[in-house]
Amino acid sequence: MPEETRGKVIDGKAISAEYRAELKDEVAKLKAEHPGFAPGLAIVQIGDRDDSNRYIKHKLAAAEEIGITANHYKLSKESTIQQVLSKIEDLNNDPTVHGIIVQMPPDSVVPMDQDTLANAVVPTKDVDGLHVHNAGKLARGELDSCFIPCTPKGCMVLLDRSDVKVEGKRAVVMGRSKIVGAPMSDLLRGHHATVTVCHSRTQVPASVVAEADIVIVAIGKARMVKRDWIKDGAVVIDCGINFIEDATAKSGRRLVGDVDYNDVKEVASQITPVPGGVGPMTVAMLMSNTLEGAKRELKTAKNSNLWRMRYLPLTPLDPVPSDIDVSRAQTPKDVSELSQELSLLPSEIDFYGKKKAKVSLSILDRLKDQSNGKYVVVAGITPTPLGEGKSTTTIGLCQALGAQLKKNVFACVRQPSQGPTFGIKGGAAGGGYSQVIPMEEFNLHLTGDIHAITASNNLLAAAIDARMFHEATQTDSALYGRLVPSKNGVRKFSPIQMNRLKKLGIDKTNPDELTEDEICKFARLDIDLSTLTWQRVMDTNDRYLRKITIGQSPTEKGITRTAQFDITVASEIMAILALTTNLGDMRQRLGRIVVASDKSGNPVTAEDVGVSGALTVLMKDAIRPNLMQTLEGTPVFVHAGPFANIAHGNSSILADKIALKLVGPDGFVVTEAGFGADIGMEKFFNIKCRYSGLQPNAVVLVATVRALKMHGGGPTVLAGQPLPKEYNEEHLDLVQEGFCNLRKQIENASFFGVPCVVAINRFRSDTDKEVELIQRLSKEAGAFDAVAATHFTHGGAGAADLARALERACQQPSDFKFLYDLQIPIEDKIATIARKIYGADGIELSEDAQKAVNRYRSQGFNDLPICMAKTHLSLSHDPTKKGTPTGFTLPIRDVRASVGAGFLYPLVGTMSTMPGLPTRPCFFDIDIDPETEVITGLF
């Protein structure tokens, strides 16, 4: 080899500096292209070793230079391995962290297994490349889907930047450590070198090394490799770090490698020095891996709208079996598979068994820059005993959009109450071949959200009665002393008590400084019992709890009162769950719940009672939407289930928001509004969309031939009696007369500026002429399209034409607007809804209603939206009036406030908030096989 080509130095410092500058430019470019892009590195250190501190300092400096956010988590030497693993798990679940390293070796009092620590880091954040998952992928040659350990990766960059071709060359790796030797050999093999590994048991290693074109040395023995080991012209990469004594050095020692540098450079064509060779590259590669992790996450976010969905095949039977039999005949995907299809991160999902799960609100942060999909609400004509099939249409439409049109689609539906499930209605998972499955899971408990609401609601009820009892039986000083007790000679207000002081205008923090008057104001809520509206709840139909007497035990000292139970879904906390936008918002809403007025007319809130923080704790899991699937494997969020009369009757804002991000800009989110469009749809627009800030793209309005016949004057339908023949025969005149109700609901949708598609949920007895008549009249009334669908019988295939029509409708411009301004008087908002949506001539407020309006206005609640509580069986207040009643004045019996949820609800007539059980409830048919645990009787 010519002398001028010998011993060329591979300058690791220069190459590293060049590489880091490239990383810095790439980070800056990505941040400019993707606002919010922020690569994050977490460094976990156990103990306080000096060498570890130095290494970490270099890593933090490099991260800052490049634009990577690096955080150092220093745990004490006394930490247990469980504490370290807990910290690693927290970082695994942190979406802002893209890379995690555990600084080795751990400097702990109790020895810690390094493999255990390395494998605790989730593979997708293992930027050290030490997890067995990444090691396995590297060994298999899957270089593009794993993290490569930093030192071997740095060696490959040095070879590449020095124009050393690896492919086809003979390479020898000296050493087989997990950190350098073993992955280095895998990496060279992955780049098509012929690789030999020398180790402590290798016989005559010098003879093996002498045949190599490329030599990588990592054996931990100072200057072991001499020139006579190296073939003339070979490339030598020295990964060794050894200290030898040197009297000339300030520290008395100096750093050398595993190669005798001055000796070997005489024969090597290129060689790395120590220091200044491989060392600087290791930190640069750590930064490179962290950036790569962030880029993968960015790609995942971009590709989250490219679902690879495995749709479940349907083989519909004729006649259609019972809902439970249809559900049982389908084998659902494991929800773990579904979560992977949706590109959810492991930290974003908690499994409740194999078929349901809760998802994290952190998805919204991760996908905050993702454009929303198309937002669709399914509503219906005024309900009849014949049923219109809104839930079935919602699910069938989503099955069609997904399995038939191959669109990303999410259904967002309400969680059903167990009251109707065991009472008279049965399940609420859809029907026929358009269902949420497994229907048993859907209808029974799910993940316990309703139970959490029950517990939260009743804690507040118990707190109110206990407070009234204690105020009635104690002096001011005794009451205050127990509310703010002395602990270890010190009295202090809790944070929630500080909030009450602030509300009262008492600017003091020392409990001992309050005056007697201030003590009285603080300690006494002074609730006016006649204004108390908060009731206990349970998720069971029980007519005997509609009116009860509480406080009859002798321990309550004769302080009794009349009270009642509502069904849980009527609780304001359910409405809060449906309208909240994050945990902080929920905490504030729960605190704003008005339970009564005091004797001076001021509102008394859950915050005043001191329980709102505890209520939030009970609701912390319920706030996360529940993930399930349809019969054809498309995803469903089941979350919240507020009443559609005294509340707004829609599933949660959070479920809709997360779904809109997950489906991506070309996808669809279909949600259902309770009861008819005059109730559920109006509240969806005027209440839900106000608080969510979301703008819908289309309305799907569900109608049936049978229901329109009833609105057109068809015979009364009686439970248990055969269906009158008019509903099974062609009667165009009844359809024409009853169309007035559908026309009015189409008009109602038009008030909000949103395109409307009419879905004709077709039955076998419907004739072509009846369907064609509805289609023609709907288009004349202003509907974008009107399409017949047979999703109950055929699943998604039966709603494919409806799905195509909806897709076209969503391409139309939407001029969404609210029906009224919040700032106008309460009476005017009520009148606007009555006139425009119901067709009333006006409203008439009772004396009680007017007093309530005046009280709420004086308390600062004028600007809340209106949630009308009226019968769902008619556009008017009279449930017997079908079609489109006219010439009526809407009577407002009373007005109540759900301040926490954020609306006022006028009462039109009497609203039952606790259903009763019929003579023969559904529970007669419900049972379980003790051996197979199969549930029977649900429908």
Side-chain angles (χ1 to χ4, degrees), residues 22-346:
E22 293 170 4
L23 291 176
K24 180 178 180 179
D25 290 343
E26 186 176 7
V27 169
K29 182 180 178 182
L30 286 168
K31 286 183 176 180
E33 292 174 352
H34 305 281
F37 178 76
L41 172 66
I43 303 172
V44 179
Q45 180 185 9
I46 304 107
D48 193 34
R49 282 176 60 121
D50 289 337
D51 55 349
S52 292
N53 291 334
R54 286 195 302 273
Y55 296 146
I56 291 170
K57 183 179 179 181
H58 292 317
K59 293 167 184 176
L60 294 173
E64 184 177 7
E65 171 196 350
I66 291 167
I68 292 173
T69 302
N71 290 301
H72 179 199
Y73 300 92
K74 196 168 189 177
L75 308 180
S76 73
K77 296 175 67 170
E78 291 74 25
S79 297
T80 65
I81 192 165
Q82 289 79 13
Q83 290 171 326
V84 177
L85 294 176
S86 177
K87 169 51 69 175
I88 294 172
E89 184 62 19
D90 289 343
L91 296 170
N92 285 339
N93 293 326
D94 187 342
T96 67
V97 173
H98 306 101
I100 303 170
I101 66 167
V102 181
Q103 187 67 42
M104 302 294 185
D107 179 26
S108 57
V109 174
V110 178
M112 295 188 185
D113 181 63
Q114 295 189 23
D115 287 343
T116 299
L117 297 177
N119 288 316
V121 178
V122 68
T124 52
K125 298 186 180 186
D126 169 37
V127 288
D128 258 343
L130 301 179
H131 193 286
V132 290
H133 177 86
N134 285 316
K137 280 184 169 287
L138 178 57
R140 290 165 57 97
E142 299 174 19
L143 307 184
D144 294 333
S145 60
C146 68
F147 282 118
I148 298 168
C150 299
T151 298
K153 183 176 181 179
C155 292
M156 291 303 297
V157 172
L158 289 175
L159 292 171
D160 180 65
R161 299 284 172 113
S162 302
D163 295 323
V164 177
K165 305 302 179 185
V166 173
E167 184 175 346
K169 298 293 180 65
R170 299 192 66 176
V172 169
V173 178
M174 297 192 66
R176 54 180 175 181
S177 71
K178 296 176 183 178
I179 296 175
V180 181
M184 189 75 244
S185 64
D186 292 333
L187 191 55
L188 286 164
R189 191 180 304 109
H191 284 82
H192 311 295
T194 300
V195 184
T196 302
V197 177
C198 290
H199 47 77
S200 60
R201 301 293 190 272
T202 302
Q203 300 295 316
V204 194
S207 64
V208 179
V209 174
E211 297 179 358
D213 303 308
I214 301 170
V215 181
I216 312 290
V217 188
I219 51 177
K221 292 188 177 182
R223 296 174 171 177
M224 177 177 175
V225 178
K226 307 296 184 180
R227 65 183 293 171
D228 57 356
W229 290 40
I230 304 299
K231 182 172 76 172
D232 196 33
V235 177
V236 179
I237 305 293
D238 188 354
C239 302
I241 300 175
N242 307 281
F243 288 96
I244 63 172
E245 293 182 1
D246 185 350
T248 64
K250 184 177 180 181
S251 63
R253 62 178 190 165
R254 69 185 166 91
L255 181 64
V256 297
D258 293 343
V259 176
D260 190 334
Y261 176 77
N262 291 324
D263 189 28
V264 172
K265 74 177 182 179
E266 298 300 322
V267 293
S269 63
Q270 298 191 66
I271 186 170
T272 58
V274 177
V278 174
M281 295 301 298
T282 302
V283 173
M285 294 307 105
L286 177 63
M287 299 302 119
S288 174
N289 280 350
T290 302
L291 176 57
E292 181 61 30
K295 287 161 61 178
R296 289 176 186 174
E297 175 58 32
L298 181 64
K299 184 178 180 180
T300 298
K302 281 184 177 179
N303 292 340
S304 61
N305 59 337
L306 301 175
W307 295 350
R308 294 180 178 87
M309 188 70 61
R310 178 173 70 88
Y311 298 107
L312 303 179
L314 282 184
T315 306
L317 300 178
D318 187 12
V320 178
S322 69
D323 289 348
I324 187 66
D325 287 339
V326 171
S327 175
R328 290 261 171 78
Q330 184 63 283
T331 302
K333 295 178 284 191
D334 281 0
V335 73
S336 58
E337 178 185 352
L338 182 60
S339 70
Q340 291 175 355
E341 293 172 336
L342 300 175
S343 298
L344 296 179
L345 303 180

Side-chain angles (χ1 to χ4, degrees), residues 491-493 498 501 506-511 513-514:
R491 301 176 73 191
K492 61 183 297 186
F493 294 115
M498 292 296 297
L501 288 170
I506 301 173
D507 187 20
K508 296 177 181 178
T509 59
N510 185 343
E513 293 180 356
L514 268 64

Side-chain angles (χ1 to χ4, degrees), residues 459-469 527 532 534 561 595 609:
L459 176 60
L460 177 53
I464 293 166
D465 279 307
R467 186 62 172 268
M468 289 193 297
F469 170 81
I527 289 174
L532 181 59
W534 196 259
R561 69 179 182 90
V595 300
V609 179

Side-chain angles (χ1 to χ4, degrees), residues 352 358 448-449 451-453 455-457 459 496 573 577 583-584 586-588 590-591 607 610-624:
Y352 283 64
K358 276 193 169 292
D449 293 351
H451 301 316
I453 293 167
S456 183
N457 183 103
L459 176 60
I496 203 167
I573 296 177
L577 176 65
L583 191 61
M586 172 178 277
R587 171 64 178 82
Q588 293 176 5
L590 290 169
E607 191 81 3
V611 73
S612 48
L615 304 184
T616 311
V617 169
L618 289 171
M619 294 293 294
K620 71 178 181 65
D621 292 323
I623 195 173
R624 297 182 295 154

Side-chain angles (χ1 to χ4, degrees), residues 542-555:
D542 191 341
R543 64 176 64 247
Y544 271 83
L545 294 179
R546 290 170 176 168
K547 188 173 183 180
I548 59 174
T549 301
I550 61 174
Q552 295 191 51
S553 169
T555 57

Side-chain angles (χ1 to χ4, degrees), residues 688-757:
K688 186 176 182 180
C689 289
R690 280 188 200 270
Y691 285 120
S692 70
L694 299 172
Q695 295 195 6
N697 297 93
V699 173
V700 173
L701 197 54
V702 183
T704 64
V705 170
R706 294 178 174 188
L708 291 180
K709 286 178 179 178
M710 178 169 282
H711 280 294
T716 301
V717 175
L718 299 176
Q721 298 296 316
L723 198 65
K725 61 183 179 61
E726 286 84 353
Y727 297 109
N728 290 317
E729 298 174 354
E730 182 173 278
H731 280 276
L732 296 177
D733 54 337
L734 287 178
V735 175
Q736 178 104 28
E737 287 297 316
F739 181 79
C740 62
N741 187 272
L742 178 53
R743 179 185 292 110
K744 177 56 182 160
Q745 304 291 20
I746 294 171
E747 179 188 45
N748 286 343
S750 72
F751 288 141
F752 299 93
V754 179
C756 175
V757 176

Side-chain angles (χ1 to χ4, degrees), residues 565-607:
F565 270 77
D566 297 332
I567 197 163
T568 299
V569 292
S571 170
E572 183 178 348
I573 296 177
M574 175 64 89
I576 288 173
L577 176 65
L579 290 172
T580 195
T581 54
N582 55 57
L583 191 61
D585 177 59
M586 172 178 277
R587 171 64 178 82
Q588 293 176 5
R589 287 177 180 272
L590 290 169
R592 291 198 298 264
I593 291 173
V594 175
V595 300
S597 295
D598 64 22
K599 293 173 182 176
S600 299
N602 301 307
V604 177
T605 67
E607 191 81 3

